Amino acid sequence: MLRRNNPELDIGRLTDAMSQRLERTEPPPPWPGETAWVSEGEGRIVALGASRLRGSAEVDSIHGLLSLPDDDFIQVAHRLAYGRLPDGQEHDRILARLHGGLSREAWLLEAAEAGEGLALPGARRVLALTRLARLPKIGRLVRWLSAALRLDRLRSEQNHAQRLQDARYHALLQVLRDQAARLDHLDGTCRRLSAERDVLEQRLAAAERRAAQAPSAADATRAPAGPDPDSAPLDDPRGRDFYRALEARFRGEPGAIAELMREHLPRVAETPAMQEGRALLDLGCGRGEWLRLVEEAGFTARGVDLNAANVSVSRAEGLEVRYQDALGALRDQPDQSLGMITAFHLVEHLTPEALHRLLQEVHRALAPGGRLLLETPNPHNLNVGSCTFYLDPTHERPIPPEYLAFLAEFVGFADTAILPLHPVGSEHHLQEESETARRLNHYLYGPQDYALLASRPHPQAPEETPA
Amino acid sequence: MSQPITAIHQFHHGVDVGDGVTNSMLFIQRLLRERGFESEIFAARIPEPLEGRVRSHRHLEGCDPDATLLLQHHSLGHSLGDWLRGLGLPRALVYHNITPPGYFSEGSELRHYAELGREQLRDWRDDFRAVLAVSDYNAEDLQGEGYAPDAIRVIPLLVDLARLDGPVASDVSLAKQLHPELGHRPALSFVGRLVENKRQHLLIEMLWHLQHMLPARAPRPMLVLAGGGKDSEYARFLKHRLHQLRLDDSVVMPGKVDDATLAGLYRGSAAFVCASAHEGFGMPLVEAMLADCPVVAMGLTNIPHTLGEGGLVLDSEDPAVMAAAVALLLEDPALADTVRAGQQRTLARYQPDTLKEALRDWLVQACGAPPM
């Protein structure tokens, strides 16, 4: 067992000790086969080379023989009965008969009679019973009796099979889990790539438009270049791309938007709850321009958006953005937890009921001293209220600033303020010093957006009021 | 030869971190540079961590045939045979053994390259100025392919024993790095790719026997199978088998581990167990001996040569027998000490100075390098 490679080893003693241990060992559970293993469903073979230790399975009783898998049963039984292994044809013939309904016992009897008998403990009894079972009349009774006697053993075999089945099931389950995880990973990669592709396509389209417009301005005789509104598909079936394209045309480049938003930064910095280190939540955060500004100013900012491409792009840039609707995101926030909640051009997409609910949730989620900032188109500007507001077909209705302020106060906000934003450039104004011109300039070229700023007040502390 | 050799370069088709052939190339390179030779390692497949230390094989084309000797390491077939020949550089073969193709599944890529490797070995018989085999077993292998016995020099694989001796090595906690239960259960380890000819499946069965042999109150030993190839068909078979034997909580397959973990594994293991059917040299055996980890191995191919007086070498390939030997080792500290003492005697053969001396001799006498 051991080689004498080391003169200091007492090989004799060691070998004795090892033999002693080996006597006490039980054989391991049956192998599914050492020389070949068929992998899960794929049918490929693992060559275990020279590792085959045992020949065909060994059995020590007739019951062991009868419980072998078909192939092993045929090999072992054939060797016992005929003194040699079956060749391929014999093996297949026997297998076909067994599958055709012949019982193993009946075939064993046949083989024992034709060959050298069957020298296995218990074989004589089983063969005798089988012989009896072949008899015309009492055979039926014998078969019935022996079946009844075998019930217990069958039950334990069934349990064993059940356990094996479970083990295989779990192994397969694990394979499935691994594959599902891999698929998830691939899905994620696909989403990210598709988002990146969208952005690139948009940039390309914008660049092409610019390139096409430049020469047509110089040479008016040339056929109009750029996308033809009649032939271009109006809407992508998925909607998302349509909205992104619309946004790209009418809302402006991310850089320009960020510039417009920058003026709100001092309002974040002045908010008491933000100074306490609480987070800002931006609803409908789009491409994350605002979140980036807030983060750069040293505050914590999170966002949610319903545009998967926007979410992927923002996440890829390291922003904490989730794919979720505004109300859902608010409901997930604990009471009085946030420092500030902002939403740019979101509320005009909501129905009046949803807007009301949104404000209630915002009020609940803000910490005392927290602030709400909502930016939306300003219907006081007649051009906005009557025309450009409807450039976005997903807008519900314009919200007059007075109404928004009222609603905020109604749900419990204090210190509401309306901040007019983004007036039309003065070069478009009527250049005239008259009341008419002043009013027209106000209604046509005044602020195109406004923001509502409101605070959640600190609760009144009754014990502090003097008695 | 009109001018003396000033550059001795080395080529192997692929290199990898922790790979035995690569380690031996780095060791030889150090010796050659110490002796004032220009010495680079060239390879066709270079993983990122080795970029900078190993150069692309294309640069060999610029070498001066009169002043250069190329040590061509060979362990698997590749497609650059004719290209190497066409370089016209004087070459010497360093043979690391090719796993017999029969150990790889039919139609697999590895099988193809193993077959090709043997074919190339036969074709190249007359190409080399000198031939070095890294073990006695490999020398026999070369003779089988028609190489003249007296032209082959045997020097045990030139390895860097210091690699596993870093200061961090002893601080690695197996429980933290590999499996929490290794904190209180003895570890048996094997290091090597999960591949059919390493026969990790026998080690799993050995563990099953061992757990049944040991008294019920003794902590149940665990088996750590470190090495790549976790996604192979064979690895799936291993998982299936260990699940069937209810050993899911006792076998750890961490994949390839870094040097620090490896050193910690050798040091922290109660025994290094090896059921491999084929080892051209068996570097992990030497690494285990160096870490003072008792070895139990089936004595096949070069394994007995590599172990020398070290380890318990089994004549049987029965996992139950191996389990019995491991059980003795676990329960008898005096036996483990005796085994370790034998291992220390064997290690003297692999000391860097001994190896360097032998290599220097071979380069000067057989390869025609100038005296160094």
Side-chain angles (χ1 to χ4, degrees):
Chain A
M1 262 187 278
L2 277 176
R3 292 207 189 174
R4 285 176 200 283
N5 64 329
N6 181 349
E8 291 173 17
L9 286 178
D10 184 349
I11 299 293
R13 185 182 64 84
L14 292 176
T15 309
D16 285 348
M18 282 168 65
S19 309
Q20 227 172 358
R21 284 172 182 282
L22 286 172
E23 275 167 26
R24 278 183 270 153
T25 45
E26 305 253 315
W31 266 113
E34 248 183 290
T35 48
W37 175 75
V38 182
S39 71
E40 300 100 323
E42 291 165 47
R44 269 180 291 164
I45 302 295
V46 174
L48 295 180
S51 68
R52 187 178 170 118
L53 293 182
R54 297 182 250 307
S56 49
E58 294 292 339
V59 292
D60 48 12
S61 74
I62 186 74
H63 296 305
L65 178 62
L66 287 172
S67 58
L68 287 176
D70 275 349
D71 286 336
D72 287 345
F73 168 77
I74 295 171
Q75 302 238 334
V76 176
H78 198 282
R79 202 185 61 212
L80 287 169
Y82 296 102
R84 63 174 180 84
L85 290 172
D87 65 27
Q89 278 190 344
E90 285 168 330
H91 182 280
D92 292 347
R93 252 200 320 272
I94 299 165
L95 193 63
R97 291 187 64 201
L98 292 180
H99 286 184
L102 181 70
S103 74
R104 287 184 172 193
E105 290 85 349
W107 180 78
L108 272 181
L109 179 63
E110 221 175 83
E113 283 171 350
E116 303 167 359
L118 200 64
L120 260 187
R124 196 189 298 267
R125 197 172 54 85
V126 169
L127 291 183
L129 272 174
T130 312
R131 210 170 276 128
L132 274 177
R134 278 205 306 207
L135 297 175
K137 286 235 170 93
I138 49 172
R140 194 189 179 84
L141 181 67
V142 170
R143 282 202 296 276
W144 190 83
L145 277 173
S146 76
L149 289 172
R150 266 194 323 217
L151 263 182
D152 265 353
R153 192 160 50 79
L154 283 174
R155 202 168 287 130
S156 90
E157 276 168 18
Q158 193 186 7
N159 285 341
H160 177 68
Q162 184 71 46
R163 277 196 300 276
L164 265 182
Q165 188 66 27
D166 282 354
R168 286 185 198 137
Y169 169 74
H170 286 298
L172 278 173
L173 214 54
Q174 187 56 45
V175 170
L176 273 179
R177 271 191 218 111
D178 292 349
Q179 283 173 348
R182 176 106 191 99
L183 271 181
D184 269 358
H185 173 73
L186 289 174
D187 267 358
T189 312
C190 271
R191 271 200 302 278
R192 190 170 50 76
L193 288 175
S194 125
E196 282 166 9
R197 194 204 54 206
D198 284 352
V199 171
L200 289 174
E201 273 175 359
Q202 241 174 54
R203 282 193 197 148
L204 184 67
E208 275 172 354
R209 260 200 312 280
R210 275 197 297 276
Q213 278 160 7
S216 68
D219 179 5
T221 59
R222 202 177 291 171
D228 175 0
D230 289 330
S231 64
L234 245 184
D235 195 353
D236 180 288
R238 291 153 73 198
R240 183 190 73 180
D241 292 343
F242 163 74
Y243 197 74
R244 285 174 68 85
L246 191 78
E247 203 179 33
R249 162 127 7 140
F250 295 112
R251 191 154 181 232
E253 293 293 318
I257 296 172
E259 270 322 298
L260 290 179
M261 287 168 156
R262 192 177 286 281
E263 67 169 293
H264 295 303
L265 270 181
R267 291 166 191 136
V268 177
E270 290 158 15
T271 300
M274 289 303 286
Q275 290 163 359
E276 291 164 20
R278 292 179 192 276
L280 177 146
L281 176 66
D282 187 29
L283 307 170
C285 61
R287 286 168 281 186
E289 302 94 342
W290 170 240
L291 292 178
R292 206 167 301 115
L293 282 176
V294 176
E295 291 268 18
E296 278 165 14
F299 297 98
T300 311
R302 296 197 292 266
V304 292
D305 201 281
L306 274 183
N307 183 316
N310 279 342
V311 171
S312 310
V313 172
S314 309
R315 273 197 199 153
E317 289 180 25
L319 296 169
E320 196 187 327
V321 173
R322 285 168 64 185
Y323 180 83
Q324 199 175 17
D325 73 292
L327 265 174
L330 284 170
R331 288 200 189 101
D332 285 354
Q333 307 300 324
D335 288 357
Q336 310 193 1
S337 58
L338 290 168
M340 190 158 182
I341 295 174
T342 55
F344 293 89
H345 294 264
L346 173 90
V347 287
E348 66 271 25
H349 292 266
L350 304 179
T351 60
E353 296 76 11
L355 176 59
H356 195 136
R357 270 207 308 281
L358 181 101
L359 285 174
Q360 284 171 329
E361 283 298 322
V362 167
H363 185 265
R364 179 191 63 76
L366 276 177
R371 269 167 147 186
L372 163 70
L373 178 85
L374 299 175
E375 195 185 282
T376 184
N378 180 11
H380 278 305
N381 179 319
L382 296 181
N383 188 34
V384 170
S386 64
C387 175
T388 57
F389 182 86
Y390 298 101
L391 272 174
D392 185 342
T394 62
H395 278 175
E396 272 290 324
R397 42 166 277 190
I399 305 169
E402 296 78 357
Y403 172 68
L404 196 56
F406 162 77
L407 202 57
E409 283 164 11
F410 183 77
V411 302
F413 283 98
D415 304 330
T416 51
I418 296 297
L419 316 163
L421 300 166
H422 317 144
V424 178
S426 56
E427 67 273 16
H428 298 284
H429 288 199
L430 293 173
Q431 306 297 334
E432 206 183 292
E433 290 297 327
S434 71
E435 181 61 14
T436 317
R438 201 184 58 74
R439 291 207 179 184
L440 274 176
N441 280 339
H442 173 75
Y443 285 117
L444 294 177
Y445 306 115
Q448 301 170 93
D449 302 308
Y450 71 91
L452 166 82
L453 188 65
S455 300
R456 174 172 175 155
H458 283 277
Q460 295 289 324
E463 63 271 28
E464 275 177 31
T465 47
Chain B
M1 194 171 28
S2 51
Q3 57 188 103
I5 290 171
T6 55
I8 303 182
H9 297 315
Q10 301 177 79
F11 169 85
H12 188 241
H13 184 258
V15 290
D16 204 356
V17 180
D19 163 61
V21 177
T22 308
N23 286 341
S24 76
M25 290 170 98
L26 291 168
F27 178 88
I28 294 173
Q29 183 185 45
R30 219 166 25 245
L31 169 83
L32 290 168
R33 285 183 172 173
E34 274 169 22
R35 304 283 167 153
F37 286 97
E38 196 191 320
S39 180
E40 297 289 345
I41 296 173
F42 297 92
R45 281 188 297 108
I46 308 170
E48 210 174 332
L50 287 172
E51 278 170 14
R53 294 182 80 180
V54 177
R55 303 182 60 192
S56 161
H57 65 292
R58 289 179 211 292
H59 295 295
L60 268 175
E61 289 175 0
C63 291
D64 173 8
D66 291 330
T68 308
L69 172 70
L70 182 65
L71 303 183
Q72 183 178 336
H73 294 253
H74 192 57
S75 71
L76 202 62
H78 55 77
S79 52
L80 293 174
D82 290 337
W83 174 81
L84 279 164
R85 198 178 254 168
L87 288 175
L89 297 174
R91 289 178 292 153
L93 175 70
V94 183
Y95 180 53
H96 291 264
N97 196 266
I98 299 169
T99 308
Y103 286 114
F104 302 113
S105 308
E106 205 144 344
S108 68
E109 208 174 327
L110 276 173
R111 177 142 180 171
H112 166 71
Y113 283 114
E115 280 165 357
L116 179 64
R118 299 219 152 244
E119 213 171 287
Q120 290 176 326
L121 210 55
R122 275 192 294 280
D123 285 352
W124 296 343
R125 249 186 321 234
D126 303 320
D127 282 12
F128 298 108
R129 190 178 276 194
V131 177
L132 178 72
V134 299
S135 70
D136 296 310
Y137 178 75
N138 287 333
E140 287 164 24
D141 212 10
L142 283 173
Q143 287 172 37
E145 301 296 353
Y147 285 74
D150 46 357
I152 306 169
R153 182 78 65 90
V154 177
I155 304 180
L157 183 64
L158 307 148
V159 286
D160 188 357
L161 295 188
R163 187 169 66 90
L164 293 168
D165 241 359
V168 279
S170 51
D171 300 336
V172 172
S173 146
L174 292 186
K176 206 182 280 174
Q177 292 282 338
L178 296 176
H179 195 288
E181 290 190 25
L182 284 171
H184 59 275
R185 292 168 63 182
L188 309 175
S189 59
F190 177 71
V191 177
R193 255 187 100 66
L194 302 176
V195 61
E196 285 87 339
N197 63 297
K198 306 268 184 201
R199 302 200 300 191
Q200 281 92 344
H201 62 286
L202 293 187
L203 295 177
I204 289 174
E205 206 182 344
M206 180 278 292
L207 184 69
W208 185 89
H209 282 291
L210 182 63
Q211 293 196 351
H212 286 76
M213 267 178 205
L214 293 174
R217 63 181 187 288
R220 291 184 310 135
M222 296 182 72
L223 178 65
V224 181
L225 299 174
K230 274 175 78 176
D231 298 324
S232 68
E233 205 72 12
Y234 180 64
R236 293 232 292 282
F237 162 71
L238 290 179
K239 281 178 206 149
H240 192 89
R241 179 63 176 147
L242 71 89
H243 184 80
Q244 189 198 358
L245 294 179
R246 302 284 189 268
L247 290 173
D248 306 59
D249 67 338
S250 296
V251 178
V252 188
M253 292 198 256
K256 213 165 184 169
V257 298
D258 58 40
D259 278 359
T261 311
L262 189 63
L265 180 61
Y266 285 127
R267 275 165 212 279
S269 295
F272 184 84
V273 284
C274 172
S276 181
H278 180 92
E279 289 293 338
F281 179 74
M283 191 53 214
L285 298 168
V286 177
E287 292 174 344
M289 292 197 286
L290 193 74
D292 234 9
C293 175
V295 176
V296 181
M298 297 182 181
L300 300 164
T301 59
N302 202 62
I303 292 170
H305 295 291
T306 302
L307 285 175
E309 288 190 21
L312 292 178
V313 183
L314 304 168
D315 269 334
S316 160
E317 294 181 48
D318 185 345
V321 172
M322 181 180 250
V326 174
L328 289 186
L329 207 56
L330 290 180
E331 292 183 346
D332 184 353
L335 173 64
D337 286 342
T338 312
V339 170
R340 285 196 191 99
Q343 294 180 168
Q344 287 307 316
R345 290 196 292 279
T346 299
L347 281 175
R349 284 198 269 148
Y350 304 115
Q351 284 314 309
D353 288 344
T354 318
L355 294 177
K356 278 183 182 174
E357 197 54 32
L359 179 65
R360 193 185 60 84
D361 262 12
W362 177 70
L363 285 170
V364 174
Q365 289 171 11
C367 301
M372 41 173 127

